Amino acid sequence: ATPSDSPTPRVGTAAYRLAKLTWQPDPAWRATASYTRDPYEIDNYNAAWYVAPEATEHWSQGGTLVSASAQGVLTPRLLWQAQAGRQRSHVDYFPQGGDFTALRRENWGDDLLFSGNAAGEQFSDRDRDVVATSLEWLPSGRAGHHDVKAGLELSRRMFNGARCATGTATNAP
């Protein structure tokens, strides 16, 4: 929501998407694939009564997630599962008007006012890749029923980002 007395409205838009496909070739095996996308854009993100229209920021975030998994019943007491996924996401903010060269002016006196430009810009990617597998054994005997599960997961996380104050044009796309 836009703060009261703000000279600019804060407006957010989102368009979440999900696609999923499940295939079960026989009762003992199932495979699933999915795709998710979650973009979110906010115009005038930092709108407030003390922020001039030219000093507002645009905020952009979101990403995609693609995953696949398979589950199988190898024997009545042995279950196997495998999955893989790839996530790509970003969090960016920058001057609403697109001017990366103008400086920000901040008056912290009695008439508090931020003007001239947004304070800074940031462009960052936050990504993750993962593969995992597990084997589950369901022994039964005199000691009762048990569940023994072992698995392995390999995950790689990546972060790449840059941030600077406006007026330096360091990160400008």
Side-chain angles (χ1 to χ4, degrees), residues 77-129:
R77 299 201 182 279
L78 194 60
L79 312 174
W80 173 75
Q81 181 174 337
Q83 63 186 40
R86 181 176 184 109
Q87 179 180 15
R88 298 292 177 261
S89 59
H90 73 279
V91 176
D92 303 333
Y93 61 86
F94 47 87
Q96 181 71 40
D99 182 356
F100 291 84
T101 59
L103 294 173
R104 179 181 185 94
R105 293 182 299 282
E106 296 182 358
N107 177 354
W108 288 88
D110 290 337
D111 23 324
L112 178 65
L113 179 65
F114 296 172
S115 62
N117 206 350
E121 63 242 22
Q122 171 185 291
F123 298 92
S124 63
D125 296 318
R126 301 142 191 246
D127 302 335
R128 182 173 186 234
D129 296 328

Side-chain angles (χ1 to χ4, degrees), residues 28-44:
W29 290 92
R30 178 182 5 204
T32 304
S34 65
Y35 171 83
T36 306
R37 185 169 183 261
D38 63 344
Y40 188 51
E41 304 284 329
I42 306 171
D43 287 328
N44 305 312

Side-chain angles (χ1 to χ4, degrees), residues 17-73:
R17 302 211 175 20
L18 169 64
K20 184 176 179 182
L21 175 65
T22 301
W23 178 52
Q24 188 163 358
D26 87 30
W29 290 92
R30 178 182 5 204
T32 304
S34 65
Y35 171 83
T36 306
R37 185 169 183 261
D38 63 344
Y40 188 51
E41 304 284 329
I42 306 171
D43 287 328
N44 305 312
Y45 172 74
N46 62 332
W49 62 268
Y50 55 87
V51 178
E54 75 275 7
T56 59
E57 297 173 351
H58 179 80
W59 184 282
S60 173
Q61 72 180 45
T64 59
L65 173 62
V66 178
S67 66
S69 66
Q71 300 89 31
V73 178

